[in-house]
Amino acid sequence: MKRLRIALLDDHAVVRHGLVARLGAEPDIDVVGAYSTSRELIAGLLAAPADVILLDYALGPDELDGVSLIRALRAKFPDCPILVLSTHHEPATVALALRVGARGFAGKGEEMAELVKALRKVVSGAVYLSAEMSYRVAEASTTFDAREGEDGADALLLGAALSAREREVIRCYLAGMTVTEIAEKFKRSIKTISSQKTTAFRKLGVTSNNELFKIRHTIGEA
């Protein structure tokens, strides 16, 4: 049986070490590299090629965002499929990751056996999503189709299960308004608007303003 070579990137040491220990216990899997930064991952893949990359989608603030990193890896290692592993698995995030080149997306809440199954599936050339995730992404896609013609901001907001107020806050934010201006517009406190923005970011699977605008731009181009 051909052994499966895995390279993984996660900026959380506990997660990284846990994955190495558990995946390394599989009889036909070799973890050829476990990295904490994208720079380390790219250098490591050049020195020790892998059959599949297990990739954390949301890294630290000094790192590339998930979309840019997937694109960079696909350009540099086109024959190495990418399975994303993340706590951020809202339909818009999952659909976007697949659109820019990932071959699968697994939540960090999945059982390890399911993760191993996902790795084997993307290496075989297939796309992996759990049954629940497939349903949610398909449901969101249907919504996008029903709103065909709307811009990238609408597609982004519809796919992330935001509340009506969270959608309006993000819509205003994408239009260039500050948190203070949005608070004045809706006659709410700055603290309330900031909290709604933070919740919306979590649902959208983004960790920074820059990442939000990049996702909107990418969906708008699709």
Side-chain angles (χ1 to χ4, degrees):
M1 179 185 298
K2 181 183 177 182
R3 299 185 66 78
L4 184 61
R5 299 171 301 171
I6 297 173
L8 65 90
L9 169 61
D10 197 301
D11 59 343
H12 292 94
V14 171
V15 175
R16 193 168 61 250
H17 294 317
L19 287 169
V20 170
R22 181 60 185 83
L23 292 172
E26 292 290 321
D28 61 340
I29 287 180
D30 290 325
V31 180
V32 296
Y35 309 102
S36 61
T37 68
S38 56
R39 186 183 297 272
E40 290 176 359
L41 171 66
I42 291 172
L45 285 170
L46 291 172
D51 299 309
V52 59
I53 301 168
L54 183 59
L55 187 71
D56 188 7
Y57 188 79
L59 301 172
D62 296 329
E63 280 283 349
L64 290 173
D65 61 90
V67 169
S68 298
L69 181 54
I70 291 170
R71 283 179 165 158
L73 291 170
R74 291 295 298 150
K76 202 163 188 63
F77 308 100
D79 297 326
C80 190
I82 299 168
L83 175 68
V84 176
L85 180 66
S86 180
T87 54
H88 305 287
H89 45 78
E90 294 300 328
T93 304
V94 175
L96 182 58
L98 295 178
R99 191 171 299 163
V100 299
R103 296 297 295 171
F105 204 113
K108 285 188 174 176
E110 296 281 3
E111 295 292 336
M112 186 56 71
E114 188 66 19
L115 179 60
V116 172
K117 174 184 169 184
L119 287 164
R120 297 189 196 285
K121 189 161 185 175
V122 299
V123 169
S124 75
V127 172
Y128 170 83
L129 288 178
S130 68
E132 179 187 357
M133 200 174 284
S134 295
Y135 177 82
R136 294 176 62 199
V137 170
E139 187 177 48
S141 297
T142 301
T143 305
F144 294 161
D145 292 343
R147 298 296 189 94
E148 187 176 5
E150 294 185 347
D151 64 16
D154 290 307
L156 171 65
L157 302 181
L158 285 166
L162 303 186
S163 70
R165 184 58 72 194
E166 290 161 358
R167 282 200 299 273
E168 289 310 307
V169 168
I170 293 299
R171 197 186 304 278
C172 290
Y173 194 70
L174 288 170
M177 296 177 68
T178 66
V179 169
T180 300
E181 290 169 337
I182 298 170
E184 291 174 352
K185 173 181 174 70
F186 294 121
K187 301 186 185 323
R188 294 289 185 275
S189 69
I190 292 175
K191 182 178 179 181
T192 296
I193 298 300
S194 294
S195 176
Q196 290 169 338
K197 179 189 166 191
T198 299
T199 301
F201 268 38
R202 177 177 54 76
K203 291 181 178 179
L204 289 163
V206 300
T207 58
S208 67
N209 298 339
N210 190 42
E211 194 172 335
L212 174 70
F213 282 92
K214 281 184 178 179
I215 289 179
R216 189 274 298 266
H217 180 67
T218 302
I219 290 178
E221 287 181 334

